[in-house]
Amino acid sequence: MLNKRHEIARGIANELLPAEQDVDAAILHNARLTILVIEGRKASRVPLATGQEGLDFIAKANSRLVEARGLIAQAHAAFRQTQSEVGLDAFSYGDVAECPPPSATGLSLVSSQRVA
């Protein structure tokens, strides 16, 4: 039974760690896109409002990507707790650093409501 649990945990880690890397990469790509939109508008000497709607969508997407990053980090911490609960503390699944306990992540969800 321990071998089966170990196999399942390894499979989860093999997907979780790339998901963490992918969301970071998506945030970086989106940040570069934001820069290119701003610099492109300035270089082409068009009015400030040009491309604003697209820029708004990019900003919203980036906010959601950052939120997703936090949720993935929380999932990672929760899976680390599950690893302990099922008796797999002796195993490592590819983390590059020690996982903080869930209460030490410093992550929390915030309301997306705008303040006027």
Side-chain angles (χ1 to χ4, degrees), residues 34-50:
T34 302
I35 291 167
L36 287 171
V37 168
I38 300 294
E39 289 179 343
R41 189 215 46 90
K42 287 173 58 178
S44 62
R45 296 181 179 199
V46 295
L48 184 65
T50 303

Side-chain angles (χ1 to χ4, degrees), residues 78-116:
F79 287 135
R80 180 60 185 95
Q81 179 62 36
T82 302
Q83 177 184 348
S84 181
E85 291 169 1
V86 297
L88 297 174
D89 279 334
F91 298 97
S92 175
Y93 295 100
D95 288 331
V96 294
E98 187 66 30
C99 288
S103 62
T105 62
L107 300 172
S108 63
L109 294 177
V110 295
S111 173
S112 63
Q113 296 176 350
R114 288 187 168 172
V115 176

